[in-house]
């Protein structure tokens, strides 16, 4: 097959598509990955052909309006208005991103398009008259009665669970902008308007598309009622980069005492990273734990250094997490996946929407204390959660069992086999 794989967003939105592209190439297919230009560094160690796309996602995510909306989970008075203002911040970037994706696809001329919903890849597939396969990196697109859409930031009656999945399309339309998508469809793709063209889960004729869900069913409450055209494959992990080795400072820190806890909140900055740094520092002191703090991406401004805390940058989680006593993180889908696979207990401190869902799922699975939302983060509560995660033997045993189960899944291999049936 000649496959075009497309994605936009943060590292958690890109890395699974790098894994898929590598697996397709290793299976003998011709593949190109269209992704944010800044993420070429993720693809290059695996020799994945890369088509750079304009993307300022991290910059937009650090915008004060966006940070405030996400950190408050769109709640409180004016929450929806803040959410609307935040989504409008993405639209100038999205206009250029779509233009780049359209141009790359029309030049590459694949016979299969595999895409993140934000790329509007179903419309590119329509233009090329080839199959389009949407990839859901989170359980927010295919409706189910089992749980409400994790993107909905408030509780709803269970009778509305299926209906709640319409919120994902509203989110995508809000970020892309209806004017942007209409202009792009008309001027770049040269496609006429048609009824239902915004539905990424449907082909132009109206029948259901084959959908790949790139996460583990063990992340979700059971039983599930997903339709037959939706395939929940397991997480799509990359193998360790062969050319990476840990810095001497990190090895020395690991060797000089009990296993530390990891603390890092991903690419979300929050409204006050200095305060977050103070809360984290005090929580570590109160917990009595040694700690490795990841402050590389702005969510935590490091406090005072001491012998019990090491600040790091750009250390592969799949190498680091199994060596930790516990993992304190924000609940992003990518970090949650690696934390689950590591077999270590977690403390989840969510910012927004889906992160609260994953925090609740880790707690329900018995591998994490109760969630510690960023909006209410305090040194005392965080310290108690860290102590529990790092010392509770039952939690450690359940985390090991979960990790073993996750590691036996071959999510990306299953995805390749499904795609090969479409050729």
């Amino acid at each position: 097959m000649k496959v075009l794989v497309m994605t936009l967003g943060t590292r958690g939105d890109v890395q699974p598509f790098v894994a898929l592209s590598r697996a397709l190439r290793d299976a003998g297919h011709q593949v190109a990955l269209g992704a944010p230009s800044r993420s070429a560094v993720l693809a290059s160690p695996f020799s994945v052909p890369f088509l750079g796309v304009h993307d300022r996602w991290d910059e937009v995510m650090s915008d004060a309006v966006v940070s405030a909306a996400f950190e408050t989970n769109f709640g409180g008075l004016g929450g929806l208005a803040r959410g609307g203002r935040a989504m409008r911040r993405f639209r100038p970037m999205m206009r250029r991103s779509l233009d780049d994706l359209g141009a790359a696809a029309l030049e590459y001329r694949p016979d299969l398009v595999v895409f993140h919903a934000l790329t509007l890849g179903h419309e590119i597939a329509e233009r090329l008259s080839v199959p389009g396969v949407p990839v859901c990196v989170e359980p927010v697109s295919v409706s189910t009665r089992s749980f409400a859409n994790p993107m909905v930031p408030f509780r709803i009656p269970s009778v509305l669970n299926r209906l709640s999945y319409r919120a994902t399309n509203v989110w995508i339309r809000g970020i892309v902008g209806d004017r942007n998508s209409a202009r792009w469809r008309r001027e770049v793709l040269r496609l006429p308007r048609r009824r239902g063209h915004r539905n990424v889960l449907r082909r132009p004729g109206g029948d259901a598309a084959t959908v790949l869900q790139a996460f583990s069913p063990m992340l979700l409450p059971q039983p599930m009622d997903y339709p037959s055209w939706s395939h929940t494959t397991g997480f799509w992990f990359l193998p360790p980069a062969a050319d990476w080795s840990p810095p001497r400072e990190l090895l020395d820190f690991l060797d000089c005492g009990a296993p530390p806890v990891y603390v890092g909140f991903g690419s979300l900055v929050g409204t006050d990273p200095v305060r977050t740094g103070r809360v984290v520092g005090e929580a570590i002191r109160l917990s009595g734990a040694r700690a490795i703090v990841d402050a590389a991406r702005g969510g935590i401004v490091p406090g005072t250094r001491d012998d019990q805390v090491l600040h790091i940058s750009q250390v592969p989680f799949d190498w680091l997490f199994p060596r930790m006593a516990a993992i304190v993180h924000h609940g992003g889908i990518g970090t949650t996946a690696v934390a689950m696979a590591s077999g270590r207990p977690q403390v989840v401190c969510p910012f927004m929407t889906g992160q609260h869902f994953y925090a609740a799922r880790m707690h329900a699975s018995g591998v994490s204390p109760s969630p510690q939302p960023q909006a209410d983060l305090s040194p005392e509560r965080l310290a108690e959660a860290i102590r529990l995660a790092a010392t509770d033997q039952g939690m450690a045993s359940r985390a090991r069992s979960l990790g073993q189960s996750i590691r036996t899944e071959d999510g990306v291999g299953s995805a390749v086999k499904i795609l090969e049936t479409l050729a």
Side-chain angles (χ1 to χ4, degrees):
M1 299 183 295
K2 186 178 183 182
V3 188
L4 176 61
V5 179
M6 303 191 307
T7 187
L8 293 171
T10 63
R11 182 177 184 136
D13 298 300
V14 174
Q15 194 156 304
F17 290 84
V18 177
L20 178 66
S21 299
R22 173 190 173 275
L24 283 166
R25 185 209 61 204
D26 288 355
H29 304 292
Q30 182 179 346
V31 63
L33 173 63
S37 296
R38 58 180 165 72
S39 61
V41 66
L42 297 177
S44 60
F46 304 100
S47 302
V48 171
F50 189 83
L51 305 174
V53 174
H54 174 79
D55 186 311
R56 294 170 40 247
W57 202 272
D58 289 344
E59 182 180 331
V60 178
M61 291 284 279
S62 64
D63 178 277
V65 171
V66 175
S67 295
F70 286 173
E71 190 171 52
T72 59
N73 198 28
F74 311 104
L77 293 174
L80 291 179
R82 281 195 300 274
R85 288 195 298 271
M87 285 189 286
R88 287 193 291 272
R89 291 290 205 274
F90 289 89
R91 293 177 189 171
M93 174 195 71
M94 287 300 302
R95 178 163 182 162
R96 287 189 57 186
S97 298
L98 290 176
D99 286 349
D100 287 354
L101 286 167
L106 293 175
E107 181 177 354
Y108 185 66
R109 309 296 298 187
D111 49 44
L112 178 67
V113 178
V114 184
F115 63 92
H116 189 298
L118 271 175
T119 67
L120 306 188
H122 63 300
E123 303 201 51
I124 288 176
E126 179 184 354
R127 169 65 176 81
L128 297 171
S129 299
V130 301
V133 179
V135 172
C136 307
V137 295
E138 301 187 64
V140 299
S141 295
V142 181
S143 64
T144 173
R145 290 187 298 270
S146 298
F147 57 91
N149 186 344
M151 294 192 74
V152 175
F154 45 80
R155 291 183 179 274
I156 62 172
S158 59
V159 70
L160 298 177
N161 282 354
R162 281 196 179 278
L163 186 63
S164 70
Y165 287 83
R166 295 185 181 182
T168 300
N169 192 45
V170 172
W171 173 264
I172 293 171
R173 289 178 65 179
I175 286 179
V176 174
D178 284 347
R179 289 184 180 180
N180 280 346
S181 61
R183 178 204 61 82
W184 180 69
R185 181 178 173 87
R186 181 181 65 252
E187 297 177 6
V188 177
L189 300 184
R190 305 291 183 183
L191 287 172
R193 294 184 63 182
R194 67 168 176 83
R195 185 181 180 89
H197 73 89
R198 291 191 177 96
N199 189 343
V200 301
L201 303 183
R202 294 285 166 181
R203 296 193 177 101
D207 54 327
T210 297
V211 177
L212 299 178
Q213 301 210 100
F215 46 83
S216 172
M218 302 195 72
L219 181 69
L220 308 176
Q222 301 296 325
M224 292 303 305
D225 59 350
Y226 282 136
S228 60
W229 43 265
S230 170
H231 305 273
T232 306
T233 62
F235 293 114
W236 297 356
F237 291 122
L238 278 168
D243 60 349
W244 186 84
S245 59
R248 184 75 256 167
E249 181 185 28
L250 175 57
L251 292 175
D252 289 344
F253 186 79
L254 292 173
D255 288 343
C256 74
V261 298
Y262 165 88
V263 185
F265 297 146
S267 55
L268 289 175
V269 174
T271 54
D272 193 350
V274 173
R275 175 191 172 276
T276 303
R278 287 198 297 265
V279 169
V280 166
E282 181 64 8
I284 293 169
R285 186 188 67 80
L286 290 172
S287 73
R290 302 172 70 235
I292 291 177
V293 178
D294 186 349
R297 286 169 286 180
I300 305 170
V301 171
T304 304
R305 293 176 180 267
D306 59 48
D307 292 340
Q308 296 299 104
V309 179
L310 176 69
H311 298 129
I312 62 165
S313 172
Q314 303 300 322
V315 174
F317 289 168
D318 55 357
W319 184 92
L320 183 66
F321 283 3
R323 294 167 166 80
M324 299 295 100
I327 301 155
V328 183
H329 64 96
H330 63 301
I333 185 66
T335 307
T336 301
V338 183
M340 291 173 71
S342 75
R344 305 307 304 141
Q346 305 171 43
V347 176
V348 190
C349 307
F351 283 90
M352 59 177 239
T353 56
Q355 296 169 6
H356 289 269
F357 175 80
Y358 307 132
R361 290 303 307 146
M362 294 302 95
H363 181 53
S365 298
V367 301
S368 171
S370 57
Q372 304 291 312
Q374 291 280 342
D376 303 319
L377 207 60
S378 76
E380 294 77 17
R381 287 193 296 271
L382 181 56
E384 180 57 32
I386 290 172
R387 276 195 296 265
L388 180 59
T391 61
D392 186 277
Q393 294 304 306
M395 194 173 292
S397 176
R398 290 187 291 272
R400 283 193 298 271
S401 177
L402 177 62
Q404 184 175 13
S405 297
I406 293 294
R407 293 192 299 273
T408 62
E409 297 175 340
D410 181 16
V412 73
S414 298
V416 169
K417 291 177 182 177
I418 293 166
L419 293 175
E420 288 175 337
T421 68
L422 304 177

